[in-house]
């Protein structure tokens, strides 16, 4: 399966999976879960809000990565992430990243955001990652978000995937279908079922078990915890 074909369909799926409502809903999307496990969500932080996230693949030697997001306005947020922290000696592995997300449109019929991140390990080694995220409400309980992104460095990498989330009260099941790879190389495709537990209105924890459908192996278990204030 070609990467670009997956990229095209992954963004179209949340927009065209169901016929549009006869009358577009003007209310904005309600936040079901703050983050998906692999793909991005369309939500920005509200003005003055802070969100702290720790995520981990729960593999040997991998403790986690920390991300902070801050809402400058209700449409614009900035963010930063640390490298991965190793649990054996406390060392770090990977790159720092900074970025911004801008919400272009926010209705239940269609919501869209653009995001740009820069990953760097030094001033001479910077990778830029633009992304387009779209979402829509499907009925009273279900939302679908779709991400298309690329990483421009020494080698261009592509990522795409739709992710679904269900508002089931204290628990929110999620399901993501993702594809990632490099041009002219094998594409890795995975299916990631997960679930979140809401700890009040501003905190949640979740776990997911990625399943490899094609390509390289995926982590056996992924966990995320978020706190918003």
């Amino acid at each position: 399966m070609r990467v670009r074909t997956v990229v095209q369909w992954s963004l179209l799926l949340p927009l065209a999976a169901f016929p549009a409502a006869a009358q577009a809903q003007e209310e904005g999307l309600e936040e079901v879960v703050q983050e998906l496990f692999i793909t991005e969500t369309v939500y920005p932080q509200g003005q003055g809000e802070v969100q702290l996230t720790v995520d981990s693949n729960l593999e040997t030697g991998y403790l986690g990565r920390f991300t902070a997001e801050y809402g400058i306005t209700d449409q614009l947020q900035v963010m930063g992430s640390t490298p991965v922290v190793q649990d054996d000696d406390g060392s770090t592995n990977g790159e720092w990243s900074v970025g911004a997300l801008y919400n272009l449109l926010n209705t239940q019929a269609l919501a869209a955001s653009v995001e740009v991140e820069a990953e760097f390990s030094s001033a001479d080694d910077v990778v830029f990652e633009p992304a387009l995220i779209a979402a829509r409400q499907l009925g009273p309980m279900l939302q679908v978000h779709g991400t298309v992104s690329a990483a421009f460095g020494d080698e261009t990498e592509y990522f795409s995937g739709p992710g679904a989330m269900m508002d089931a009260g204290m628990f929110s099941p999620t399901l993501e279908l993702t594809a990632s790879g490099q041009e002219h190389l094998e594409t890795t495709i995975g299916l990631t079922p997960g679930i979140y537990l809401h700890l009040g209105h501003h905190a949640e924890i979740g776990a997911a078990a990625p399943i490899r459908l094609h390509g390289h192996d995926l982590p056996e278990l992924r966990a995320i915890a978020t706190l918003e204030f």
Side-chain angles (χ1 to χ4, degrees):
M1 181 180 294
R2 297 289 293 172
V3 174
R4 289 183 177 176
T5 301
V6 177
V7 166
Q8 293 166 357
W9 281 105
S10 65
L11 186 60
L12 291 175
L13 182 60
L15 306 182
F18 290 82
Q23 181 176 0
Q25 303 178 65
E26 295 302 327
E27 297 180 2
L29 285 179
E30 294 289 336
E31 293 183 355
V32 178
V33 297
Q34 297 289 341
E35 303 289 343
L36 284 165
F37 293 94
I38 309 294
T39 57
E40 300 288 344
T41 59
V42 77
Y43 318 122
Q45 294 300 306
Q47 183 175 11
E49 290 182 348
V50 175
Q51 179 180 303
L52 302 178
T53 303
V54 58
D55 65 273
S56 174
N57 284 342
L58 298 184
E59 295 177 317
T60 302
Y62 185 177
L63 178 61
R65 180 186 62 172
F66 299 90
T67 300
E69 303 172 20
Y70 176 74
I72 296 177
T73 71
D74 287 340
Q75 292 177 284
L76 175 64
Q77 74 168 37
V78 292
M79 66 198 81
S81 297
T82 69
V84 172
V85 178
Q86 305 293 327
D87 63 3
D88 50 1
D89 58 4
S91 64
T92 59
N93 179 27
E95 296 78 26
W96 295 85
S97 71
V98 294
L101 179 145
Y102 185 77
N103 182 233
L104 300 168
L105 178 68
N106 186 19
T107 70
Q108 291 188 14
L110 175 63
S113 294
V114 291
E115 182 181 76
V116 177
E117 288 192 47
E119 291 190 349
F120 56 92
S121 54
S122 67
D124 298 326
D125 185 16
V126 181
V127 176
F128 292 99
E129 297 186 11
L132 174 62
I133 311 157
R136 68 177 296 172
Q137 187 80 27
L138 301 177
M141 299 176 62
L142 184 66
Q143 286 183 18
V144 180
H145 295 235
T147 302
V148 173
S149 66
F152 298 103
D154 293 336
E155 296 181 348
T156 301
E157 300 180 4
Y158 300 93
F159 173 87
S160 64
M165 58 182 75
M166 179 176 290
D167 185 359
M170 181 178 293
F171 293 95
S172 292
T174 65
L175 183 64
E176 301 166 73
L177 176 64
T178 57
S180 61
Q182 299 176 3
E183 196 67 31
H184 309 303
L185 295 179
E186 185 178 46
T187 300
T188 297
I189 301 174
L191 184 68
T192 304
I195 192 166
Y196 271 97
L197 170 64
H198 300 283
L199 306 173
H201 184 64
H202 298 290
E204 58 196 24
I205 56 174
I211 302 168
R212 181 180 67 89
L213 301 181
H214 181 268
H216 300 290
D217 290 337
L218 297 173
E220 295 182 357
L221 184 64
R222 184 164 174 80
I224 294 181
T226 65
L227 175 64
E228 186 181 69
F229 54 91

